[in-house]
Amino acid sequence: MLRQSIERVIKRNAPKEKAECVVIGAGIVGLAVARELSLKGKEVLVLDSAPTFGTATSSRNSQVIHAGIYYPPNSLKARFCVRGRNLLYQYCSQRGIPHKQIGKLIVATGPSEIPKLNQLFNRGILNGVEGLRMLDASEAIKMEPELHCVKALLSPASGILDSHSLMLSLVGEAETKGTTFSYNTTVIGGHLEGNQMALHVSETKTLANWDGNTPLQPDLILIPKFVVNSSGLSAPALAKRFRGLNTATIPPAYYARGSYFTLSNSNSTRHPSFKHLIYPIPEEGGLGVHVTLDLDGQLKFGPDVEWIHHVPDTTSFLNSSKICRYVLLQIT
């Protein structure tokens, strides 16, 4: 009865608008989705609670183009990573987006890790990753003199890019095709209205003093024909706030925070210690603390994995950047 009463209040007070396609979240996935929909001739509206695009996980990552080695064969992740990597290199090349195919070494630091390295090699072959090659210690150290390992897997297809330039390009192309971006706009929930999802939308600033318990009242009910929930870390929590959606279809969320260390030596960017990405054998919850380079030659070490438990849904769906801290510490 309480839920029905709340819905009656919402329906009575909040104005309603119709839309063709709504993308929730202006991270790199949401931007790519919006661009593709607009290229297909759809009218697209992108909503994001932040002041601009790409403020959460899209700007807090290693900026690595992965080859497709790690995922189970025939899985969607494996197929999308291999195909997406080829498309991404093509997209960046055609549009002058800074990137570089520098390759990656996955290393075994002891004999006990060699079987796992062989498993990764076989998995990569099954996934269709091109150019994979096993190296003994002398071959790997010849490529990277500062490296200490007993064996390594070379992935020439791996690379790096400038993620902000990529997002700028996606935004520009989407806007050129008529996509509208509405920042500082939060989707606080929704309900099924017939066979369509009615989105409850509010200005982000009106939620600043919300106590987390009082029922939220939207400023607008938006009824699109097509909805994409690409709100990143917020996606599962937001989906739970869509009344009428089968909660069994919503995957659980597991949050982890990672810290990176940058090498601040004055010669590190002019003459970096490594020329390739250096990765350990993967660990639970991530790919392990690895060495990455950016396009300016800056070396970073990380991320570590710190599991975060009991994150309130209100924190995650209102602002995923609060649980997506990207910690940079300098070492000399």
Side-chain angles (χ1 to χ4, degrees):
M1 290 296 294
L2 176 60
R3 176 175 295 180
Q4 292 175 350
S5 298
I6 292 172
E7 287 183 357
R8 280 198 296 269
V9 171
I10 290 172
K11 291 176 183 178
R12 184 174 65 247
N13 294 336
K16 293 184 178 181
E17 296 287 346
K18 292 186 177 181
E20 185 171 13
C21 300
V22 171
V23 176
I24 307 170
I28 201 160
V29 173
L31 298 179
V33 169
R35 170 188 174 272
E36 190 66 22
L37 287 171
S38 64
L39 289 175
K40 302 296 184 184
K42 304 295 184 182
E43 292 184 3
V44 184
L45 172 62
V46 180
L47 307 177
D48 198 286
S49 61
T52 188
F53 61 86
T55 62
T57 48
S58 297
S59 56
R60 295 171 171 86
N61 59 78
S62 300
Q63 300 186 105
V64 169
I65 302 174
H66 288 286
I69 297 169
Y70 299 102
Y71 307 115
N74 299 316
S75 66
L76 289 177
K77 283 187 175 181
R79 288 165 50 196
F80 290 166
C81 189
V82 173
R83 183 168 180 263
R85 180 244 305 162
N86 291 327
L87 291 172
L88 186 54
Y89 276 129
Q90 179 182 338
Y91 183 89
C92 291
S93 296
Q94 291 174 346
R95 290 158 177 82
I97 296 168
H99 70 289
K100 193 173 183 180
Q101 190 172 332
I102 61 175
K104 174 167 70 176
L105 290 171
I106 306 174
V107 300
T109 57
S112 64
E113 293 184 335
I114 292 177
K116 294 181 181 179
L117 195 65
N118 290 329
Q119 290 174 7
L120 287 176
F121 173 73
N122 293 329
R123 180 177 292 181
I125 295 297
L126 289 174
N127 288 346
V129 180
E130 310 91 339
L132 294 178
R133 186 160 64 94
M134 294 295 291
L135 307 177
D136 59 28
S138 61
E139 290 177 296
I141 294 171
K142 186 176 181 180
M143 293 178 64
E144 294 288 3
E146 299 293 330
L147 187 62
H148 296 275
C149 67
V150 296
K151 204 167 187 179
L153 172 58
L154 172 64
S155 169
S158 303
I160 55 177
L161 55 66
D162 181 344
S163 60
H164 188 73
S165 295
L166 174 60
M167 288 190 284
L168 278 173
S169 178
L170 294 171
V171 169
E173 291 188 21
E175 287 183 329
T176 298
K177 291 295 182 178
T179 295
T180 300
F181 288 85
S182 180
Y183 301 117
N184 296 308
T185 304
T186 301
V187 178
I188 59 175
H191 68 273
L192 282 175
E193 195 158 299
N195 62 349
Q196 293 178 296
M197 180 61 69
L199 303 177
H200 303 174
V201 182
S202 291
E203 286 188 87
T204 302
K205 64 181 181 182
T206 65
L207 306 174
N209 298 317
W210 182 46
D211 61 11
N213 297 311
T214 306
L216 288 169
Q217 296 299 315
D219 301 319
L220 174 69
I221 301 292
L222 196 57
I223 307 176
K225 296 179 181 177
F226 185 75
V227 181
V228 177
N229 179 5
S230 57
S231 53
L233 297 178
S234 305
L238 178 58
K240 291 177 183 178
R241 299 181 68 85
F242 292 157
R243 293 194 294 277
L245 187 67
N246 182 4
T247 56
T249 65
I250 303 171
Y254 302 98
Y255 297 114
R257 178 168 55 218
S259 298
Y260 283 78
F261 298 82
T262 62
L263 186 63
S264 60
N265 186 297
S266 59
N267 292 321
S268 63
T269 55
R270 292 195 299 269
H271 304 288
S273 302
F274 297 99
K275 298 179 181 178
H276 301 78
L277 302 165
I278 309 294
Y279 279 62
I281 299 297
E283 62 183 27
E284 183 181 358
L287 300 181
V289 174
H290 47 267
V291 178
T292 59
L293 299 89
D294 63 24
L295 292 162
D296 295 323
Q298 176 67 64
L299 281 176
K300 293 197 296 287
F301 301 86
D304 59 1
V305 176
E306 176 191 352
W307 292 105
I308 303 174
H309 304 287
H310 311 299
V311 176
D313 283 353
T314 54
T315 298
S316 54
F317 96 86
L318 283 179
N319 188 355
S320 61
S321 64
K322 291 181 181 177
I323 54 171
C324 180
R325 287 175 52 202
Y326 176 93
V327 182
L328 278 176
L329 304 173
Q330 287 194 339
I331 58 176
T332 57

